[in-house]
Amino acid sequence: MDDYSDEQLVARYLKGEEKALETLIAKYLKPVYRFVFRYFGNAAEAEDVVQEVFLRVWRNIKKFNPRKSRFANPRERRQKSFKVWIFAIAKNTSLDFLKKKKAAPFSDFDNEDDTNAITDSLVDPAPLASDIFERKDLADILESALEQLPVGPRSVIVLHHDGGLTFQEIADASGESLNTVKSRYRRSLLSLREILTHLLE
């Protein structure tokens, strides 16, 4: 099964080969998890979201159609790869979960002893300089900087670097123009550089 393209695996699954879907899930489970984790920074939440992502993939896989349409506008006419399709689902599912989190008032998490599971565990997103120097791995510093970016700019960086999507694929997944994606990526890198400078001072 590993020799088949994603699109061939989808076609085989739709013809009744369950193993084809298992192969696709095995291929994308780790990349999708890494992508989702960047939104939440919490393993339990990321796992819940990833489960929902693959549930949505399973429910909607019949709608996946990589064929070009001569009737579509130029952006829609491009072939949408399975990778673009699944990362678009991962992004939308993550945003849906974030909206639900924002909608829940903190008082909903009050315990009987007047403690609050959310507010009592909040951590200042900007770590102290001493905290930074205690970290040995620069990846932690980069992770901290990424968390300070708004969701939109962060998703472009993560889709490109963690997801391995090209700017064109990100544009296809988000429904935005290629120039918009490139511009957002450049601005995001400038913001990230500024945050890193402050973190490393």
Side-chain angles (χ1 to χ4, degrees), residues 55-125:
L55 185 60
R56 290 184 184 187
V57 167
W58 175 71
R59 282 181 184 151
N60 295 292
I61 199 163
K62 288 180 182 175
K63 297 177 187 174
F64 172 70
N65 185 359
R67 294 194 185 109
K68 299 175 184 178
S69 167
R70 63 190 180 90
F71 300 107
N73 69 41
R75 192 183 313 158
E76 292 171 344
R77 200 177 296 141
R78 281 190 297 272
Q79 184 167 350
K80 185 180 270 193
S81 69
F82 183 81
K83 180 168 81 168
V84 167
W85 186 73
I86 197 169
F87 273 102
I89 291 174
K91 185 186 95 167
N92 292 334
T93 307
S94 297
L95 292 176
D96 288 346
F97 269 71
L98 286 171
K99 285 176 191 169
K100 286 178 190 172
K101 278 178 68 174
K102 284 182 182 176
F106 284 155
S107 58
D108 286 356
F109 299 92
D110 285 340
N111 297 320
E112 291 177 8
D113 60 352
D114 288 333
T115 60
N116 186 295
I118 300 296
T119 56
D120 292 349
S121 64
L122 287 177
V123 179
D124 185 353

Side-chain angles (χ1 to χ4, degrees), residues 163-182:
L165 272 67
T166 65
F167 293 126
Q168 184 61 66
E169 288 174 329
I170 296 170
D172 291 342
S174 64
E176 296 176 320
S177 72
L178 179 59
N179 287 339
T180 299
V181 169
K182 285 181 175 179

Side-chain angles (χ1 to χ4, degrees), residues 23-59:
T23 303
L24 283 168
I25 291 171
K27 178 178 179 179
Y28 284 102
L29 186 60
K30 285 184 181 178
V32 167
Y33 176 82
R34 280 197 309 268
F35 171 69
V36 168
F37 185 83
R38 298 275 192 176
Y39 276 97
F40 298 93
N42 175 298
E45 285 183 319
E47 287 168 10
D48 288 344
V49 174
V50 168
Q51 283 182 10
E52 178 63 22
V53 168
F54 284 100
L55 185 60
R56 290 184 184 187
V57 167
W58 175 71
R59 282 181 184 151

Side-chain angles (χ1 to χ4, degrees), residues 106-156:
F106 284 155
S107 58
D108 286 356
F109 299 92
D110 285 340
N111 297 320
E112 291 177 8
D113 60 352
D114 288 333
T115 60
N116 186 295
I118 300 296
T119 56
D120 292 349
S121 64
L122 287 177
V123 179
D124 185 353
L128 298 172
S130 58
D131 294 337
I132 293 167
F133 288 113
E134 287 172 9
R135 298 175 187 169
K136 293 178 182 177
D137 191 352
L138 284 174
D140 289 342
I141 298 172
L142 180 59
E143 191 71 39
S144 179
L146 273 171
E147 286 172 10
Q148 294 183 46
L149 284 175
V151 170
R154 187 190 327 159
S155 69
V156 175

